[in-house]
Amino acid sequence: MAKVRTRYAPSPTGHLHIGGARTALFSYLWARKNGGSFVVRIEDTDVERNVADAEKKQMEALKWLGIDWDESVDVGGPHAPYRSMERLDLYQTHLDKLLEGGQAYPCYCTQEELDREREKQLAEGVAPKYSGRCRHLSEEEREAFEKEGRVPSIRFRVPEGRTITVRDEVRGEVRFDSDGVGDFIIQRPDGRPTYNFAVVVDDALMEITHVVRAEEHLSNTPRQILLYEALGFEPPVFAHASLILNPDGKKMSKRDESVIQFIDQYRELGYLPESIINFLVLLGWAPEGEKAEEEIFSKEELIDLFSLKRVSKAPAVFDTGKLKWMNNHYIKESSTERITDLAIPHLARAGRISENPTGEELEWVSRLVGLYKEQLDYVAQIVELTEMFFREEARYSGEAKEVLSGEQVPEVVEGFIKQLETFEGALTPGEVKALLKTVQKETGHKGKKLFMPIRAAVTGEVHGPDLRETICLLGKEKVLARLKGFLERRDQILA
RNA sequence: GGCCCGUUGGUGAAGCGGUUAACACACCAGCCUUUCACGCUGGCAUGCAGGGGUUCGAAUCCCCUACGGGUCACCA
């Protein structure tokens, strides 16, 4: 069997979408698993929709995910160029062959005429399909149209009565009747190819062996197979993965608010690339055998385990809760340094730390991150989670007020203030523990009666991470200020 | 409307003719902990969209129905 070559061929019309990322991932894994090549090709023939930065952005997003390629616009390769609009002469050459063989013909219909035809068919409940009115134009008729100034598009002449079999790795053999497909346009009047033509020429010339893409392309595949045949190329093996649905079970639309849709956004929020990869691969794919009981996989494991045969035919629902869990899992596995580095820009942007933090600040942030790492679903969450640290005064929750209304509270708080004030030197969790122990001895209050009032008075909350470390990070001055502030304004706070 | 594809718990899913229908997320209960989170333990589909077959035996094979989806563009 020939060397495996797969490709991801996005159009540069927007950001990398989760669906696209999953398609790219499947293609990538398959190539890597087989020691083959992975190509990223840009299908930019729809020039009106092209967005300036999109190509660059999408490739950056892929790279960030850890999906690297062997051939593309940036690194070149044996089949360059890798942008459709730079391959126009190639399409023309192949188109000419079709024209010469009579397998394609010029169509002079205007958009308006076609629209009208289509609407009429729809209204009659007939399958909308090109009527073929330009199929058998005589030389004279053509000339007449040309004289009118009409510039033709080129249509492919779909053979009649053919059964077209799509060989699909995930769905088996899918058969289509050629009579169901009308002659379709392969070249626009201005010479640009349409998608169905460009992909075929590109995939064939680039010797792509496996075309992995989403289900929405399945119905297009018979057209492409016909083109492969007409051009004398061997069709590749196809693999159509099912669609990804939003949590409501609906097809994900770009404007869907229930799910964050673009890889860039996940990156900005502080999702880790390995968790995105891990999550995405499980949308419509599952490992075989014993491995099916596991769900955490590194990219290397996936390369080893991946198989197109195991790609699911049924649509997958994008479960945001699972993604959070998975990201949290990877964050917990990551070093505090790594998460700290990711957290710094968020904290800086929120004005919590300076733009160019000093070594001291960095050390502090690192401890802060260490304290909250376990509960981060995504790194940007650090900002809201640690808000309490950056406020001048504590803001008391209802539960906190309840705790603080206990009769032993003033005594405990005063006792702790006394201990803190007399304490000299650097505050460490161990020291705080010792101070609290002393308060316990002096007041006779222990356990929740001791710890909760202090937590509540200092943080304004009854929940939170380790109290001792929290106190250390807040610093002696701030803690004292809050404790005293509470005592001074106790009546109004509890009111 | 034609043609195609799909349907196992709230979710991702394993299952490939004989299983107590894995595993994970979520959820519930308990344990741990000064609290939360983490972690740990346990619970959670009497049924595999519905109905017919085939078979000693079906989530697994066949047919029909229902529902969901894709496509029928000078968009990819």
Side-chain angles (χ1 to χ4, degrees), chain A residues 147-160:
Chain A
K147 246 182 230 146
E148 270 181 49
R150 294 202 189 195
V151 184
S153 52
I154 307 298
R155 282 185 190 269
F156 179 69
R157 193 185 301 274
V158 174
E160 290 160 54

Side-chain angles (χ1 to χ4, degrees), chain A residues 339-476:
Chain A
I339 305 305
T340 301
D341 287 344
L342 291 172
I344 287 170
H346 290 107
L347 259 8
R349 206 175 309 141
R352 303 287 170 75
I353 58 173
S354 41
E355 290 294 332
N356 295 300
T358 61
E360 205 176 324
E361 254 181 315
L362 254 27
E363 167 64 21
W364 185 85
V365 171
S366 170
R367 285 174 67 184
L368 185 73
V369 168
L371 197 55
Y372 284 90
K373 206 172 89 174
E374 301 231 309
Q375 48 187 298
L376 287 177
D377 289 331
Y378 49 94
V379 181
Q381 240 181 359
I382 192 78
V383 174
E384 51 179 281
L385 244 29
T386 61
E387 210 217 333
M388 176 275 293
F389 279 87
F390 304 94
R391 250 201 309 259
E392 261 324 297
E393 292 172 350
R395 190 175 298 161
Y396 299 94
S397 71
E399 283 177 302
K401 287 176 188 171
E402 217 169 288
V403 165
L404 290 169
S405 63
E407 55 173 337
Q408 90 290 10
V409 171
E411 189 188 359
V412 167
V413 172
E414 276 163 25
F416 189 50
I417 289 175
K418 198 179 101 196
Q419 289 305 316
L420 264 184
E421 282 182 327
T422 54
F423 180 78
E424 305 266 344
L427 217 46
T428 66
E431 299 287 359
V432 175
K433 188 180 181 184
L435 296 182
L436 286 168
K437 190 78 185 167
T438 308
V439 177
Q440 179 189 321
K441 275 183 201 149
E442 290 185 351
T443 65
H445 297 297
K446 59 178 180 177
K448 289 189 186 182
K449 292 244 179 218
L450 170 67
F451 292 99
M452 288 310 276
I454 291 177
R455 172 182 292 282
V458 172
T459 70
E461 296 287 342
V462 295
H463 305 305
D466 185 76
L467 219 209
R468 291 162 295 198
E469 177 73 347
T470 299
I471 287 172
C472 292
L473 281 178
L474 225 26
K476 184 172 155 181

Side-chain angles (χ1 to χ4, degrees), chain A residues 328-339:
Chain A
N328 170 261
H329 169 85
Y330 278 102
I331 286 178
K332 281 184 291 195
E333 299 253 296
S334 298
S335 69
T336 300
E337 292 72 56
R338 180 183 180 198
I339 305 305

Side-chain angles (χ1 to χ4, degrees), chain A residues 263-288:
Chain A
I263 298 301
D264 288 347
Q265 296 174 290
Y266 285 102
R267 181 182 186 174
E268 278 156 25
L269 285 170
Y271 279 80
L272 269 22
E274 60 268 43
S275 70
I276 303 280
I277 290 282
N278 198 153
F279 177 73
L280 247 29
V281 81
L282 259 14
L283 282 181
W285 174 83
E288 197 168 10

